[in-house]
Amino acid sequence: MELVLGGRASGKTDYVKNKYPRTLFFDENTPWEVCSREAERLPAGTALVLNHLHLGILQALQNGKSQEEILAFLEHLCSSASSLVTITDEVGCGIVPMDPAARRFREVTGRISTALAARAETVTRVQCGIPMTLKAPEKKEQTLLLLRHAKTPGNEKRRYIGKTEESLSEEGRRALEKTRAAIDALSLSSIALHVSPMRRCRETAEVLFPGIPQHIVPDLREIDFGRFEGKSAEDLSGDPSYQAWIDSGGTLPFPEGESRAQFETRTDAAFFSLLSDTEEKDKTQVFVVHGGTIMSVLSALTGKNYYDFQIPNGDGYLVRVHRENGLFLPDAIRRLLP
């Protein structure tokens, strides 16, 4: 958990939005049962944010809740949410109020904030938009290498190739010489190799990392293009369902295939699970996968647009991340090939 505190309008919310690529914001008017339910099913790579915690405490006290009940609810969220951020105004400064209820509100808010600060992994105070770290874990960076498989005959013809099994083309294999040289230049001492089950990814991994065991991850496979599978844009010209998909910005489900939302949920869950569960955290985590898979996981990791991470066959991204508050946060991203 991260506790973010500071004066009113000091930039706390902007700090959280800039730090965490994907957030689910709740304010003081959100019922406790809604917060609890959403905490238990947070999407991969998402932080649950309780905004205006001080106002939520005030509202709870007015509704007859005790300090112990409020703290028990917050402890429950800390335990059930994979990533939690609480944002509160500092209310303990200034003249002590004459009104007993106002004094109790200040005291309870202060004591709850103190308890949360003790439990939190990170505590940040924001003043005039400038974050000041009061408490933070040791920062340990991890290196990721996300590679798109080399070209297949279908790629060369600009066809939608998802579930179709294809081997690499000769052109694709030759192009991997440049990729191999770029990987060699990184001087990676040891790697853990995660690979989509599709033949084109397994063959690419074998060329680039011969002799290294491949960890096959079924949910990192490419999206199912449904009726568009194996066809090019020219083949689909005039098809109303294809035009509808184009007009939607690629968000409509592929007819008889997957939607992008389904695909992203599948791939993101697999990707973040691997980062969290791997016992080889000191190794470079290498993923030999698909263009769509890379777009999905980097969009989740950075909060940027899905199409910002389109990548040619045989190219990829070198990524540095660190783990904080249950999430992997990006420190640097660059293309592998110049």
Side-chain angles (χ1 to χ4, degrees), residues 57-210:
I57 293 172
L58 175 61
Q59 191 173 100
L61 290 172
Q62 291 172 340
N63 290 334
K65 301 291 186 182
S66 67
Q67 174 181 315
E68 291 72 24
E69 287 175 306
I70 299 169
L71 192 54
F73 163 68
L74 294 171
E75 288 283 351
H76 169 71
L77 286 187
C78 289
S79 299
S80 55
S82 55
S83 179
L84 178 66
V85 181
T86 56
I87 305 176
T88 182
D89 283 5
E90 293 181 286
V91 298
C93 302
I95 299 172
V96 177
M98 295 290 292
D99 179 61
R103 289 201 303 272
R104 174 159 173 72
F105 160 64
R106 288 213 324 180
E107 179 181 348
V108 170
T109 301
R111 293 189 184 282
I112 287 177
S113 297
T114 300
L116 291 178
R119 194 187 200 287
E121 181 181 37
T122 304
V123 180
T124 306
R125 188 171 190 270
V126 182
Q127 186 172 9
C128 299
I130 301 172
M132 295 169 283
T133 302
L134 305 181
K135 178 182 179 183
E138 180 184 356
K139 187 174 180 179
K140 296 181 179 179
E141 284 196 326
Q142 190 171 354
T143 302
L144 316 176
L145 183 58
L146 307 178
L147 298 169
R148 185 183 178 190
H149 63 82
K151 281 185 178 181
T152 69
N155 294 145
E156 292 175 356
K157 296 177 182 178
R158 302 182 66 83
R159 300 185 185 278
Y160 291 100
I161 304 297
K163 61 186 178 182
T164 301
E165 283 286 28
E166 288 192 333
S167 290
L168 302 181
S169 66
E170 288 304 313
E171 177 187 341
R173 287 182 177 274
R174 287 195 299 271
L176 284 179
E177 294 178 8
K178 187 176 181 181
T179 309
R180 180 65 182 271
I183 293 172
D184 289 343
L186 297 176
S187 300
L188 304 177
S189 58
S190 60
I191 69 169
L193 182 58
H194 312 293
V195 183
S196 159
M198 305 308 293
R199 183 185 306 151
R200 53 196 183 271
C201 292
R202 290 185 280 111
E203 290 182 356
T204 299
E206 179 58 35
V207 172
L208 296 176
F209 306 99

Side-chain angles (χ1 to χ4, degrees), residues 199-235:
R199 183 185 306 151
R200 53 196 183 271
C201 292
R202 290 185 280 111
E203 290 182 356
T204 299
E206 179 58 35
V207 172
L208 296 176
F209 306 99
I212 294 180
Q214 297 181 12
H215 174 214
I216 304 300
V217 187
D219 281 344
L220 292 180
R221 67 189 183 278
E222 182 61 285
I223 196 168
D224 183 349
F225 292 109
R227 285 201 290 107
F228 300 165
E229 181 75 24
K231 298 178 181 178
S232 66
E234 291 75 15
D235 295 332

Side-chain angles (χ1 to χ4, degrees), residues 223 249-254 258-265 306-307:
I223 196 168
T251 58
L252 279 180
F254 290 103
E258 279 185 292
S259 70
R260 200 175 90 194
Q262 291 171 324
F263 171 66
E264 288 181 310
T265 297
Y306 179 84
Y307 291 105

